[in-house]
């Protein structure tokens, strides 16, 4: 069946639509939770669940239909004003939405979900309306009334209904439309035609009710029909033809001959139209993808967004309530294969490289800067940058879906540890590259869980400290100077530095008694193997520490920092590049090789003076930078390009500030230039290489490695940064 | 000439399926996203001289629901007789009464089934020359 292919495509887009609907459900519930119980807000929520149910039904996703139906029914009570949208009720709805999300996912991936939680949530939901909701039964058939309208003219006798005679099976039908039948847009002609499809038919027109011409109103039913239908069809199939006009006409259907028996039992009736294929009315939506080459002529703004989230307005903070905007119809979007975008991104990358090559040739050719070639190149440069930004924007996506996932994490983890938590978000419309968003989910999940589990005090603890019993976890996103900054903030007790310190000493992560600044202690949380949890709780005992969080954020070219104030709370800030495709870098030379260092990790550059340098032990050299000694690291040595130099006097140095605010001085032979480079991943071909983040192609066509300075420094000796404390303290 | 069908549903999935099923059955489908949009498309079709031979509409929709849409269509003299089928998940007994009160010609209960749909259209709009 060739039509299964477009069905598979529609099925896929159904799940995308589900994501959007779940998002608007979340939005609506959040709005309700904030006190907006406007009927349209409630309607949006209801419709979201309702639409999921409708689509799920079309694909025979029974589990999804079942849950959505019962969920929707409870919601309907709010819509009808029979149930108050209290905070507890809304909290339950949130749980319902979570389960719905799970069932959608499971349905999409063909997995089976453990029904224990499903049933528990349904039980709680249904308790709101006082009982179990009947599952939707196909109860749409009630032909019974038809037998009541006895038409005196109908008995065309000759073939009596009781006759088990030899005449062929069939029905004697008498049909006389009322005026209302015409008013509802029904047309007897079509009904008769439909009847004809069932078998042999002879029709006699009954004009007995036809008034005199002067009294004739064309819209009133004046004509009736007597029909002799010879058919193997069953009585309900015949009755079905008249389903829509039931009550709008006088109708009798009498079986004749060996007519197929009528309805044995009203409850066992099959859906009209599917009478002959008893099971699932759905065409098999299963296999293969294929082109949907059906032309699409309609002028309406068809929304077929390829992304789970439709594009929302500009990347600004404070998205606020846009559930109502959503109701007003999404913006026009185009559906594009991700591969095509990847190709475009790559091509633009080539363009950037090509432009760099061109610039270099122009310089080498000695063409003066005020020439038309140079100014043309200048414009070309600007255009390239604009194109590049626009292309990156195609992949950009609001962080909203991510934030909604986090709100679920807060709900789940707070109920697990028995804390009452309010989750506040801001800047949901902030856009980041899709790949970055995907890879942020795990680290964010961990940090949000941490905020609930470790960050916030217990309810008693909060009351004792004079705080409201409900803790607040805030997640914000914003664009700041070309980067995206995410913050996870709790209003808990702050980091208990004494405990952290003691723990670190106990685990041998730091020597006992080292003088340390507050921030340095806070940063101990990022050390591998560190955990402040007194015992491994359900939440934190997942084998993931903050060190893993930090390294996954670093892998995205990002940084994490902590600020904490005792009694007030803790904030984790994540700063990320807007895209993973381009990077502002410092091009340097070390040991005769050209390398690129991400600009974001360099805090300053300087030239080494003999007076500022100190020797510590055998191999460690230090440089004094504003009253602080910073270890010197020779990049060429670290990368194995050449042995250490006798003297570093006059060498150029990049001062690298690490996420924990410790610093290192990276010696290079020469700083070449500062420029944007296109990132080419190496992982696929070479796997992960310590100290190397990626590669790029330079203007002269040469390949240069892009360094991961933090990684390089860490592999040079993770204890080194602590040595600076000894001297600085 | 194939029958022109206007299908109104706020779910993109259902719209896609309607379009597919209608086109496969040899009809010429147009779709709209809600009642308000449905009226716009209806007017465009009428202005192009290709008014729909039948309309299919969902009930639960933003901006203008199915009942409001049917009322509005019936209020226009040009479309007072066009057959309108309601496609809904509502259970039939209740639906029938409400749909009929608002001027619907017939109703189809979801889950959406192409066979049922085509049959119902033929029932209310007759068979096109197709």
């Amino acid at each position: 069946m060739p039509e299964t292919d477009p069905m598979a495509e529609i099925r896929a887009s159904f799940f995308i639509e589900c994501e959007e609907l779940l998002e608007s459900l979340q939005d609506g519930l959040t709005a309700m939770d904030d006190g907006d119980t406007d009927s349209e807000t409630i309607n949006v929520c209801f419709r979201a669940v309702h639409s999921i149910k409708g689509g799920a039904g079309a694909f025979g996703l029974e589990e999804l239909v079942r849950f959505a139906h019962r969920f929707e029914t409870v919601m309907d009570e709010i819509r009808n004003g029979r149930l108050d949208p209290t905070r507890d009720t809304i909290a339950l709805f949130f749980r319902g939405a979570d389960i719905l999300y799970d069932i959608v996912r499971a349905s999409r991936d063909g997995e089976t979900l453990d029904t224990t939680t499903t049933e528990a949530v349904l039980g709680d939901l249904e308790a709101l309306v006082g009982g179990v909701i009947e599952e939707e039964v196909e109860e749409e058939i009630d032909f019974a009334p038809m037998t009541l309208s006895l038409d005196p003219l109908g008995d065309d006798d000759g073939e009596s209904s009781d006759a088990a005679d030899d005449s062929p099976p069939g029905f004697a039908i008498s049909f006389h439309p009322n005026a209302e039948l015409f008013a509802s847009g029904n047309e007897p002609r079509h009904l008769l035609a439909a009847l004809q499809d069932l078998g042999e038919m002879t029709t006699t027109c009954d004009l007995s009710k036809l008034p005199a011409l002067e009294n004739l109103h064309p819209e009133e039913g004046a004509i009736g029909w007597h029909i002799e239908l010879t058919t193997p069809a069953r009585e309900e199939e015949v009755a079905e033809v008249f389903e829509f006009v039931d009550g709008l006409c006088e109708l009798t259907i009498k079986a004749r001959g060996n007519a197929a028996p009528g309805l044995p039992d009203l409850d066992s009736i099959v859906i009209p139209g599917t009478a002959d294929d008893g099971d699932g009315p759905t065409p098999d939506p299963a296999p293969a993808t294929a082109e949907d080459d059906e032309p699409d002529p309609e002028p309406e703004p068809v929304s077929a967004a390829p992304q789970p989230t439709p594009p929302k307005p500009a990347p600004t903070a404070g998205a606020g309530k846009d559930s109502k905007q959503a109701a007003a119809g999404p913006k026009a979007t185009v559906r594009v294969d991700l591969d095509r975008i990847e190709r475009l991104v790559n091509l633009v990358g080539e363009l950037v490289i090509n432009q760099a090559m061109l610039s270099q040739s122009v310089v080498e050719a000695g063409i003066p800067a005020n020439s038309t070639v140079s100014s043309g190149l200048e414009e070309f440069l600007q255009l390239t940058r604009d194109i590049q930004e626009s292309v990156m924007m195609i992949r950009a996506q609001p962080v909203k879906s991510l934030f909604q996932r986090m709100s679920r994490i807060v709900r789940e983890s707070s109920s697990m540890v028995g804390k009452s938590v309010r989750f506040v978000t801001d800047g949901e419309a902030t856009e980041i590259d899709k790949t970055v968003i995907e890879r942020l989910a795990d680290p964010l999940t961990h940090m949000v869980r941490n905020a609930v589990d470790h960050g916030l005090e217990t309810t008693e603890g909060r009351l004792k400290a004079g705080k409201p019993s409900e803790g607040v976890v805030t997640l914000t996103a914003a664009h700041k100077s070309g980067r995206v900054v995410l913050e996870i903030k709790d209003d808990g007790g702050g980091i208990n530095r004494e405990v952290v310190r003691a723990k670190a000493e106990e685990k041998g992560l730091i020597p006992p008694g080292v003088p340390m600044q507050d921030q340095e202690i806070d940063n101990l949380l990022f050390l591998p193997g560190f955990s402040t949890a007194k015992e491994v709780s359900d939440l934190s005992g997942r084998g993931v520490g903050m060190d893993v969080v930090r390294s996954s954020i670093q892998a995205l070219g990002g940084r994490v920092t902590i600020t904490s104030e005792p009694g007030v709370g803790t904030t984790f800030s994540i700063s990320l590049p807007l895209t993973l495709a381009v990077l502002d870098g410092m091009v340097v030379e070390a040991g005769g090789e050209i390398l690129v260092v991400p600009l974001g990790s360099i805090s300053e550059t300087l030239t080494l003076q003999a007076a500022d340098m100190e020797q510590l032990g055998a191999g460690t050299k230090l440089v004094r930078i504003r009253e602080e000694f910073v270890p010197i690291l020779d990049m060429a040595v670290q990368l194995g390009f050449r042995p250490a130099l006798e003297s570093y006097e006059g060498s150029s140095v990049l001062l690298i500030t690490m996420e924990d605010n410790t610093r290192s001085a990276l010696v290079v032979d020469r700083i070449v230039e500062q420029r944007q480079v296109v990132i080419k991943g190496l992982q696929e071909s070479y796997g992960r290489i310590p100290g190397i983040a990626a590669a790029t192609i330079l203007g002269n066509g040469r390949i240069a490695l892009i360094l991961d300075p933090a990684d390089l420094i860490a592999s040079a000796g993770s204890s080194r940064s602590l040595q600076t404390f000894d001297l600085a303290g | 000439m194939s029958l022109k069908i206007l299908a109104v549903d706020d779910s993109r999935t259902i719209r896609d399926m309607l379009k597919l099923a209608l086109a496969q059955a040899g009809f010429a489908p147009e779709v709209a996203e809600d009642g308000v949009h449905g009226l716009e498309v209806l007017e465009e079709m009428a202005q192009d001289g290709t008014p729909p031979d039948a309309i299919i509409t969902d009930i639960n929709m933003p901006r203008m629901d199915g009942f409001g849409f049917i009322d509005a269509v019936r209020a226009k003299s040009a479309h007072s007789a066009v057959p309108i089928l309601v496609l809904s998940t509502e259970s039939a007994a209740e639906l029938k009464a409400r749909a009929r009160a608002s001027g619907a010609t017939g109703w189809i209960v979801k889950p959406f089934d192409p066979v049922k749909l085509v049959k119902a259209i033929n029932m209310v709009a007759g068979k096109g020359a197709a």
Side-chain angles (χ1 to χ4, degrees), chain A residues 355 359 369 371-384:
Chain A
Q355 171 254 302
S359 304
S371 67
T372 44
V373 170
S374 296
S375 61
L377 198 63
E378 198 67 30
E379 276 168 41
F380 179 43
L381 201 134
Q382 185 56 45
L383 278 174
T384 312

Side-chain angles (χ1 to χ4, degrees), chain B residues 2-3 8 12 35 49 68 73 82 85 88-89 91 101 115 120-122 127:
Chain B
S2 55
L3 291 182
V8 189
R12 191 165 72 227
V73 174
V82 61
L85 289 173
S88 171
T89 50
S91 61
V115 177
I121 290 173
N122 285 334
K127 291 182 187 174

Side-chain angles (χ1 to χ4, degrees), chain A residues 476-496:
Chain A
T476 57
H479 284 281
K480 276 181 197 162
S481 54
R483 290 175 78 86
V484 181
V485 177
L486 293 170
E487 281 191 355
I488 301 116
K489 187 166 133 191
D490 64 66
D491 71 339
I495 292 172
N496 187 335

Side-chain angles (χ1 to χ4, degrees), chain A residues 374-446:
Chain A
S374 296
S375 61
L377 198 63
E378 198 67 30
E379 276 168 41
F380 179 43
L381 201 134
Q382 185 56 45
L383 278 174
T384 312
R385 235 178 210 269
D386 288 352
I387 292 176
Q388 191 187 323
E389 268 170 31
S390 313
V391 169
M392 294 310 158
M393 283 303 290
I394 299 178
R395 284 206 308 195
Q397 214 181 71
V399 291
K400 187 171 179 176
S401 58
L402 187 63
F403 278 25
Q404 290 198 337
R405 275 170 81 177
M406 293 311 126
S407 93
R408 173 178 190 169
I409 302 295
V410 170
R411 281 197 293 281
E412 285 176 351
S413 47
S414 59
S415 77
M416 209 180 283
V417 296
K419 291 176 184 172
S420 153
V421 181
R422 191 152 58 89
F423 184 57
V424 181
T425 58
D426 194 19
E428 291 184 326
T430 308
E431 293 187 334
I432 322 182
D433 194 291
K434 186 173 153 60
T435 28
V436 179
I437 290 185
E438 280 161 9
R439 287 163 65 184
L440 265 178
D442 283 346
L444 263 193
T445 300
H446 186 80

Side-chain angles (χ1 to χ4, degrees), chain A residues 531 533-542:
Chain A
S531 171
K534 284 186 197 73
E535 53 208 74
V536 173
S537 70
D538 275 351
L539 278 180
S540 52
R542 295 177 193 235

Side-chain angles (χ1 to χ4, degrees), chain A residues 178-436:
Chain A
N178 299 344
E180 296 83 29
L181 184 142
F182 297 96
S184 70
N186 274 292
E187 169 59 58
R189 197 159 45 94
H190 303 324
L191 299 178
L192 295 177
L195 215 48
Q196 196 158 26
D197 284 350
L198 295 174
E200 291 280 310
M201 185 168 96
T202 52
T203 313
T204 331
C205 197
D206 174 11
L207 300 174
S208 62
K209 286 189 180 171
L210 192 68
L213 192 59
E214 62 269 24
N215 294 331
L216 183 70
H217 293 283
E219 291 187 356
E220 280 174 17
I223 307 175
W225 290 270
H226 296 294
I227 304 136
E228 292 297 330
L229 179 66
T230 303
T231 174
R234 286 169 305 166
E235 184 168 340
E236 55 264 33
E237 287 175 72
V238 178
E240 204 177 88
V241 170
F242 296 98
E243 185 195 0
F244 295 159
V245 294
D246 173 26
L248 302 178
C249 62
E250 290 166 35
L251 179 74
T252 51
I253 301 172
K254 281 189 177 174
R256 179 197 75 173
N258 299 317
L263 314 180
D265 174 6
L266 266 182
D267 292 336
S268 65
I269 297 168
V270 201
I271 314 161
T274 55
D276 33 6
D277 58 20
D279 45 35
T282 339
D284 178 14
T289 45
E291 318 268 332
D292 183 3
D293 44 18
E294 174 195 334
D296 200 346
E298 80 272 25
E300 51 126 9
V302 172
S303 57
Q307 318 287 17
T309 38
K312 290 278 154 62
T316 41
K321 312 177 196 316
D322 42 13
S323 56
K324 284 175 193 170
Q325 289 171 18
K331 278 204 278 180
T333 50
V334 182
R335 185 176 186 156
V336 186
D337 209 320
L338 200 59
D339 288 348
R340 294 189 188 177
I341 296 178
E342 293 301 324
R343 186 171 149 70
L344 190 59
V345 170
N346 275 329
L347 281 175
V348 170
E350 302 297 330
L351 185 67
V352 172
I353 292 165
N354 197 266
Q355 171 254 302
M357 286 163 73
L358 208 54
S359 304
Q360 197 160 330
S361 323
V362 166
V363 172
E364 281 165 8
I367 295 169
N370 57 1
S371 67
T372 44
V373 170
S374 296
S375 61
L377 198 63
E378 198 67 30
E379 276 168 41
F380 179 43
L381 201 134
Q382 185 56 45
L383 278 174
T384 312
R385 235 178 210 269
D386 288 352
I387 292 176
Q388 191 187 323
E389 268 170 31
S390 313
V391 169
M392 294 310 158
M393 283 303 290
I394 299 178
R395 284 206 308 195
Q397 214 181 71
V399 291
K400 187 171 179 176
S401 58
L402 187 63
F403 278 25
Q404 290 198 337
R405 275 170 81 177
M406 293 311 126
S407 93
R408 173 178 190 169
I409 302 295
V410 170
R411 281 197 293 281
E412 285 176 351
S413 47
S414 59
S415 77
M416 209 180 283
V417 296
K419 291 176 184 172
S420 153
V421 181
R422 191 152 58 89
F423 184 57
V424 181
T425 58
D426 194 19
E428 291 184 326
T430 308
E431 293 187 334
I432 322 182
D433 194 291
K434 186 173 153 60
T435 28
V436 179

